[in-house]
Amino acid sequence: MRILVIEDETRMARVIARVLEEERFDVDVRHDGVSGLDAALTGAYDAIVLDRMLPGRDGLEVLRELRREKIATPVPRSNRSGMAGG
């Protein structure tokens, strides 16, 4: 299974990728919305882990564009917040 992680925080992207790789997933990481969208449009992914706040294009814009292009790859939702207690 191949997963795309689009996350601008390098440490968080590394942690997510490491956990997925330990579970034997193939993982590609992009650190901004523009390169993430390009990867999602040109690659065959089984799932996309997508941060909401990204440089270039935010996560919602990326998701909207994927759906406009008829890319139906699952994008699980996260309630992760940068705020303590959030």
Side-chain angles (χ1 to χ4, degrees):
M1 189 171 203
R2 189 169 175 214
I3 299 177
L4 174 62
V5 175
I6 307 173
E7 168 63 65
D8 62 320
E9 294 179 32
T10 304
R11 285 175 73 183
M12 180 61 69
R14 232 184 335 218
V15 168
I16 295 167
R18 185 176 332 123
V19 168
L20 292 169
E21 288 166 346
E22 286 173 0
E23 295 298 322
R24 306 287 187 239
F25 293 106
D26 293 323
V27 180
D28 292 334
V29 176
R30 298 295 183 274
H31 296 287
D32 63 81
V34 174
S35 65
L37 176 60
D38 184 54
L41 290 172
T42 60
Y45 293 97
D46 298 295
I48 300 171
V49 177
L50 178 61
D51 187 17
R52 180 156 181 197
M53 296 180 70
L54 294 165
R57 294 182 86 161
D58 73 33
L60 290 177
E61 289 177 36
V62 170
L63 184 57
R64 283 187 199 111
E65 184 63 25
L66 291 173
R67 296 309 183 235
R68 263 194 298 273
E69 295 294 326
K70 307 295 188 232
I71 305 292
T73 304
V75 181
R77 295 177 66 156
S78 170
N79 290 327
R80 184 177 73 86
S81 170
M83 298 175 63

